[in-house]
Amino acid sequence: MAKTQEDDKKPDLQIDPREVPFWLSSRLALAVIGFLGFINVYAVRVNLSVAIVCMVNHTAIRKLSDVNSTSVRVSSECSASAAENSTDIADFNPLVNDNLGGYLEWDKTIQGTILGSFFWGYLIGQVPAGWLATRFGGKWVYAVTMLIASVATVFTPLLANASYIALIVLRVILGLVTGMTFPAMHTIWGKWAPPLERTKLITFTYAGAQVGIVVTFPLSGFLCEYGFAGGWPSVFYITGVACFIWSIVWIIFVSDDPANHKRIIDIERDYIISSLKSSAVSHKKSLKVPWLKILLSLPVWAIIVANVASDWGAYTLLTNIPTYINEVLMFNITSNGLVSALPYILFWAVINIGGWVADLVRNRGLLSTGVTRKVFTALGKIAPAIMLIALGYVDCSQPALAIGLLVFAVSLTGIQYSGFLVNHVDIAPAFAGILFGISNSLAAVTGFISPVIVGVITAENQTRSEWQIVFYIAAAIYVFGAIFYVIFASGELQSWAQEDHEDKGTEMTHKEEKYRMLSDRTIDA
């Protein structure tokens, strides 16, 4: 019989969850290491968004584009008044002067292509990553991809100086391997996260992405101006080495499942395995993926649509915040990095608070899992949509209001992390990595479409009215995603996702058999 929404409110266990430690537990340690991992994932992912501003020779690009002082493409009303007393835009926009040492002559189209190329690789790697993690374990998928990412990041300055084509190829590879980390982590949590703790554990882990942005944006801005090796190359050297060091720590301390973890205490191991009722899943080669049923499932498509809508708005801001601050709010590069990070500080807080609140209302039976996911997803889309529309009507003469709206537009999307982002594990824990790979790979299409569309819309004059169009599009997509998800999403374990523990030819180790028998004894049928 399929698990109902009410089943996961109070698991029928002989092990009292209150007797199982949390703060010093192995599952929390996994969340902390995963959290640090996603700091690195996003550090190597977004460093170029800031660094590219000081890599490019803006003066040369303006000359190549036949743009000079009297026909300045004024980025905002504020810069218009400054232009009256200057014949060169560099005089009133310190972000585009030659003091930053930029010498690469990449026009707006090339820059947009470079930034978007990351998502070409990000798109194609996620479904294979989910399958590989399900079959061979998420630990090594995550470890190998991050080692590759660290090497690719360190080689970024060399290839950027050689050719922008070479840099595009490298960014495709970087997108491929970093995109594989999410399905790998989802697969691991499918075997580690007890149902009533999964929201806070998973959301805390992925909140590392926001901290990665918070750290990398200002750090990249600082290193662009004061770093070694000529400034901007140091951005990639530092983030690449940090990624490598984390990978070694991950390999040493992480296990694919609690049954094989060397440092976990017995009561925690027993609690996790019995609460998930899935001890036999550790033998990954016997697992058959119901591909057709997955593709025909409306709850799966609800997650996909929610993911696509979320990523459109997120990537619109993530890859273009430095440019927006440059062209409309007119901050210099150091302020650019710091201000770009502000929304993600509150984003991190919203993600973690939301995770605890979501698990609290489920534990107390206030809302079922399905309703909880729908409420949090809808709030995390509609509220940011309102903020984005308002942001489009603010110019650089109102900097405090602009930054405030920007902060809320980005941070409130963190509410969704307790909604659709955890929902894969609700409806199909055994295939969570594969489901995440499917939804996130389709959503990744927005990663290279969004920057191109933003570039086309804002290429003419970089004005506030052009950015209004960008924000209206993102808001409309947010609202549609919220409506679709509320109608079709589910919090129930799907019938096609229930595991067959009696697959022929499955041979379990003595340890796996022991904990399967333990689960059978401790859980009422």
Side-chain angles (χ1 to χ4, degrees), residues 114-158:
I114 292 172
L115 290 173
S117 62
F118 173 93
F119 298 96
W120 303 345
Y122 191 78
L123 169 66
I124 64 177
Q126 300 208 35
V127 175
W131 181 82
L132 287 171
T134 300
R135 186 170 178 82
F136 301 108
K139 171 183 175 177
W140 286 104
V141 173
Y142 203 158
V144 171
T145 54
M146 288 294 277
L147 287 171
I148 295 172
S150 67
V151 174
T153 302
V154 169
F155 275 89
T156 296
L158 176 65

Side-chain angles (χ1 to χ4, degrees), residues 180-461:
M180 297 176 80
T181 60
F182 286 90
M185 193 73 241
H186 240 50
T187 300
I188 293 173
W189 276 128
K191 300 171 186 176
W192 268 95
L196 293 181
E197 296 178 0
R198 66 173 48 132
T199 312
K200 56 177 172 279
L201 289 171
I202 296 175
T203 55
F204 176 80
T205 302
Y206 292 144
Q210 317 315 320
V211 176
I213 297 171
V214 169
V215 172
T216 306
F217 271 12
L219 177 64
S220 298
F222 178 83
L223 292 175
C224 273
E225 197 159 359
Y226 304 109
F228 59 91
W232 64 262
S234 63
V235 174
F236 302 100
Y237 297 144
I238 289 177
T239 53
V241 170
C243 182
F244 179 83
I245 293 172
W246 175 87
S247 301
I248 302 304
V249 173
W250 172 268
I251 292 171
I252 294 173
F253 291 103
V254 170
S255 298
D256 277 311
D257 55 63
N260 294 301
H261 195 279
K262 296 179 180 179
R263 290 168 294 277
I264 191 172
I265 62 175
D266 289 343
I267 190 172
E268 182 185 7
R269 179 191 291 115
D270 300 345
Y271 166 61
I272 294 172
I273 292 175
S274 60
S275 67
L276 292 174
K277 307 178 184 180
S278 58
S279 56
V281 84
S282 58
H283 195 83
K284 295 163 282 293
K285 293 183 180 180
S286 66
L287 208 59
K288 295 180 181 179
V289 182
W291 292 105
L292 182 59
K293 292 180 179 178
I294 288 175
L295 295 177
L296 295 178
S297 171
L298 278 175
V300 170
W301 279 103
I303 295 173
I304 291 173
V305 171
N307 204 339
V308 170
S310 174
D311 282 13
W312 181 281
Y315 293 147
T316 296
L317 293 172
L318 179 62
T319 59
N320 291 285
I321 279 181
T323 303
Y324 174 74
I325 293 173
N326 170 24
E327 295 179 347
V328 176
L329 303 184
M330 304 300 292
F331 290 106
N332 63 33
I333 185 60
T334 304
S335 296
N336 191 338
L338 292 172
V339 173
S340 296
L342 286 178
Y344 297 96
I345 297 174
L346 188 55
F347 194 174
W348 173 84
V350 169
I351 290 172
N352 285 288
I353 293 172
W356 284 88
V357 172
D359 280 346
L360 179 65
V361 299
R362 293 167 63 236
N363 269 287
R364 295 188 175 182
L366 302 177
L367 295 174
S368 68
T369 296
V371 173
T372 300
R373 303 303 181 219
K374 291 178 180 181
V375 168
F376 279 73
T377 299
L379 286 175
K381 292 185 186 301
I382 294 174
I386 296 172
M387 298 298 108
L388 280 175
I389 293 174
L391 180 62
Y393 290 91
V394 179
D395 59 46
C396 64
S397 65
Q398 303 166 295
L401 179 59
I403 296 304
L405 289 171
L406 187 61
V407 166
F408 284 109
V410 174
S411 63
L412 291 178
T413 62
I415 300 173
Q416 300 175 86
Y417 274 52
S418 300
F420 79 88
L421 195 71
V422 186
N423 203 196
H424 314 78
V425 187
D426 296 324
I427 67 173
F431 307 109
I434 291 175
L435 295 186
F436 192 98
I438 294 172
S439 67
N440 215 35
S441 61
L442 292 175
V445 175
T446 66
F448 58 83
I449 294 178
S450 173
V452 172
I453 291 179
V454 171
V456 171
I457 294 173
T458 63
E460 186 63 28
N461 296 302

